[in-house]
Amino acid sequence: MVRRMLVRTVAMSVVVGASAFAAQSVAAQARPTAGPTTIGAAPGSRLHSWSVLAPLADLPREFPGWMPVFGGLLDDAPRGVGPFETAGNPGGLPFDIVDSRASFGMSTERSSGDYRRPFDAVRESRTRAGAVGRQRLGRTGAGIGSVMVENSGYRGDVHSEGARPYSSSPYAVADTFGSDLDQFSARLEAAGGWRLGAWGVGVAAGFQGQETRTVASPVPRRMRSAGPGVGGGIVRELIADRLQAGVSGHWQSLKETVEVYTVAAATQILQFGAYIDPPPAVVTSRYHRGIEREAWTLGAALSGTEQGVDWVLQGRRTGADERHYNEQSNDPRSDLWRANGLSLGLATTGRLSGAARWSASIGWTALDGEAEPPPPVDPDADPIDDPVTFRVDERQLVGSVGLRAPLGGDGWVVAGTLTMVSEVRDRRDEIVRVTSHIDVRTVGLATEVARDLGGGWGVVVGGSALSAQPVGGIPTPDAMGPAYRRWIGPELAMAGTPATTLGFTAGARWDADDGRRVWLRVSSASLSPGSSAASLPQVPEGDRQRWELSGGVVLR
């Protein structure tokens, strides 16, 4: 293996986020990626912090360079911190939710470009609609719920057979016969909490489902995934209105099936579990692959208010077990993936003077995982000393500082957020003894300006720029097999290449006298690879464009 060093440079970015509460709740409910995903994903989007369906014990290998969506000045008010809002403990609902609100939204998004990984589509489109509502339940309770449906299209010879081809797990399935894909997904979630004196108790539940099919292909493919998530938590108020402590946990399950039919052409299937080339499987009739995933998390948080500053300190342990198999039997021989994670975080917010507010947060996540093939078919065979074929050691550190304040008079408001991300990924193939090490540093500055025009009308504009700078080393392509060079090498090369994203956002809102808000937002972004002292082979040429139009209504 040859270590190809990449130059570290300072990265600065400006990102706009003109998204209302409804925009965050509807258009930004999934995790950032670029390609078919489990539930309605889009670059720069995320699940709710309280979601019991968000993938656990996983640090997805995001599309290099996409900046996450930041909260914008179309919001009703800056989002607070608390045991529910930040730590996701449903027992904190009666402490954090003090009003009732319902948000309805819809968005359409398009992205395209030649700068993509092997399992990404050339062109992607998404249309999603959803709603989020929260309400006080009597004097001691509070509830929240959300629903989302999404219709997505992936065009340009998509080869991925799995719902999450770029997760922390090395397992991925490639169909050498690329096809266009259509995907429909839906998610339903709800949580409720009640206060019993100084105690708060709560429960949460959700269900997600997805179906993906090829479009007019001689090799039809169908992928389905579905599963529930449940959770609960307890919060204890230690000092009235000043200090709370809580514990929470949840469990989730996801089952996925992949089926390929050779109707008018044959195809080859590659089942990756490491960097070594897998033996191709020639499919002449039908191919089946099943994936079962169970994951859990246990967390604790301390939250409080001191001298006008709200803060939450939290920690969380996660674990996940996956089984990947081809046999359709009660106990199939399976490839195994086991992962364990640890997350620590601190979030704070407070007032400077008047209407000016600040916020700051820092979070650290560590993940370790191991892949293991099925045991030998012969029960009398000698056991393998170390059956692990692939090891993962990944770390992520994210910090941000935000400011929102009036700008002079006449209804002007300015907001900015500085975000810094450090991500280190060490992935080792224990079969051929090769390792990839990629350390990416990203610094972002989000800015936007809003103006109240009177009569309930307001507008917001902003611009965006991002630069991600990596350093590290990847296996030399010439020393690896042809399947690695086609399906794995380009993704590692892109992760090891600097990337820059530029964008623009503009939006408008109208507030009615009865508390309703109607909003509309348009945004665009352009991503392109940068340059480094050591240019890596297999990096795609070109760039990638994305735009989104979203709107919604907020009822209070």
Side-chain angles (χ1 to χ4, degrees):
M1 190 192 89
V2 176
R3 298 191 62 82
R4 300 184 177 273
M5 301 308 296
L6 309 170
V7 178
R8 292 182 200 246
T9 63
V10 177
M12 294 298 295
S13 68
V14 181
V15 169
V16 178
S19 60
F21 175 84
Q24 292 180 330
S25 302
V26 177
Q29 290 188 33
R31 316 202 29 238
T33 185
T37 58
T38 303
I39 290 293
S45 58
R46 61 180 178 82
L47 284 157
H48 303 295
S49 61
W50 56 270
S51 173
V52 294
L53 300 176
L56 300 173
D58 190 20
L59 281 174
R61 307 191 309 272
E62 314 293 6
F63 195 94
W66 284 123
M67 178 61 94
V69 171
F70 287 21
L73 292 179
L74 287 180
D75 292 351
D76 292 320
R79 302 184 72 179
V81 300
F84 175 75
E85 292 279 8
T86 306
N89 186 336
L93 269 165
F95 294 92
D96 288 355
I97 293 184
V98 297
D99 61 356
S100 298
R101 180 182 306 173
S103 304
F104 305 87
M106 187 171 183
S107 68
T108 181
E109 172 193 321
R110 300 290 186 271
S111 62
S112 62
D114 294 329
Y115 191 67
R116 62 188 180 100
R117 300 168 298 184
F119 291 141
D120 295 328
V122 177
R123 300 180 305 279
E124 302 176 14
S125 63
R126 297 179 184 86
T127 300
R128 66 173 65 88
V132 178
R134 65 185 193 184
Q135 183 174 336
R136 293 293 303 181
L137 303 175
R139 299 179 58 187
T140 61
I144 190 170
S146 71
V147 61
M148 189 201 73
V149 293
E150 179 181 286
N151 192 45
S152 304
Y154 304 92
R155 300 294 184 263
D157 292 337
V158 184
H159 296 272
S160 170
E161 298 285 50
R164 300 184 305 126
Y166 291 116
S167 66
S168 291
S169 166
Y171 291 118
V173 179
D175 184 350
T176 57
F177 193 98
S179 302
D180 295 342
L181 301 177
D182 282 340
Q183 181 184 92
F184 178 80
S185 56
R187 184 175 68 248
L188 177 65
E189 294 185 85
W194 294 265
R195 188 163 179 171
L196 307 174
W199 294 87
V201 297
V203 294
F207 188 85
Q208 60 183 349
Q210 170 207 285
E211 182 173 35
T212 305
R213 292 176 176 267
T214 52
V215 179
S217 173
V219 183
R221 309 201 307 256
R222 183 177 64 184
M223 295 165 277
R224 292 178 174 177
S225 64
V230 295
I234 299 174
V235 173
R236 176 71 160 88
E237 190 172 51
L238 304 177
I239 302 177
D241 299 324
R242 290 184 57 191
L243 185 64
Q244 303 93 29
V247 294
S248 63
H250 66 264
W251 166 90
Q252 61 183 219
S253 175
L254 188 68
K255 184 174 182 179
E256 178 185 345
T257 59
V258 178
E259 293 177 327
V260 180
Y261 303 90
T262 54
V263 175
T267 187
Q268 287 188 344
I269 300 292
L270 299 173
Q271 295 181 172
F272 287 97
Y275 288 162
I276 189 174
D277 283 9
V282 179
V283 180
T284 57
S285 58
R286 180 175 178 267
Y287 167 85
H288 173 85
R289 183 74 163 171
I291 302 172
E292 296 179 4
R293 188 177 201 270
E294 291 192 359
W296 57 268
T297 179
L298 293 174
L302 196 64
S303 59
T305 300
E306 187 65 33
Q307 296 183 351
V309 176
D310 299 330
W311 57 271
V312 175
L313 178 66
Q314 62 176 319
R316 190 178 296 273
R317 289 286 300 181
T318 60
D321 292 286
E322 292 182 7
R323 300 173 62 208
H324 300 245
Y325 52 87
N326 298 102
E327 301 172 4
Q328 292 183 272
S329 62
N330 291 331
D331 188 20
R333 299 177 69 252
S334 305
D335 295 305
L336 304 179
W337 168 252
R338 299 184 178 93
N340 293 283
L342 173 65
S343 298
L344 303 173
L346 172 66
T348 62
T349 184
R351 292 186 180 275
L352 288 176
S353 61
R357 294 189 61 91
W358 62 270
S359 63
S361 66
I362 186 169
W364 175 80
T365 301
L367 180 76
D368 301 296
E370 294 181 343
E372 183 178 327
V377 177
D378 184 359
D380 299 325
D382 294 333
I384 302 174
D385 293 336
D386 185 4
V388 175
T389 56
F390 201 87
R391 300 181 193 274
V392 169
D393 182 4
E394 299 176 333
R395 304 290 185 268
Q396 186 182 77
L397 179 65
V398 181
S400 67
V401 178
L403 175 66
R404 173 174 175 153
L407 183 64
D410 299 326
W412 290 92
V413 180
V414 63
T417 302
L418 176 68
T419 301
M420 294 168 286
V421 181
S422 173
E423 188 173 85
V424 180
R425 296 184 184 268
D426 289 304
R427 303 171 66 83
R428 178 171 176 79
D429 185 324
E430 298 290 357
I431 303 175
V432 293
R433 302 291 180 178
V434 296
T435 302
S436 64
H437 168 79
I438 298 177
D439 182 349
V440 183
R441 306 296 173 87
T442 304
V443 179
L445 177 63
T447 60
E448 56 186 356
V449 178
R451 173 74 189 281
D452 188 347
L453 303 177
W457 289 93
V459 294
V460 60
V461 295
S464 67
L466 174 140
S467 178
Q469 302 293 334
V471 62
I474 63 175
T476 303
D478 292 343
M480 306 300 291
Y484 169 91
R485 291 194 295 270
R486 179 178 180 184
W487 304 106
I488 298 178
E491 185 252 333
L492 292 177
M494 286 180 63
T497 298
T500 300
T501 302
L502 302 175
F504 172 80
T505 297
R509 52 86 178 162
W510 175 71
D511 292 331
D513 294 337
D514 59 4
R516 290 174 298 161
R517 167 167 290 191
V518 181
W519 60 273
L520 183 69
R521 175 173 64 93
V522 61
S523 62
S524 65
S526 175
L527 183 150
S528 58
S531 60
S532 64
S535 179
L536 294 175
Q538 297 190 285
V539 176
E541 297 181 354
D543 56 15
R544 196 162 186 87
Q545 311 290 330
R546 171 178 175 256
W547 68 267
E548 180 181 13
L549 176 66
S550 57
V553 178
V554 180
L555 305 178
R556 293 187 292 271

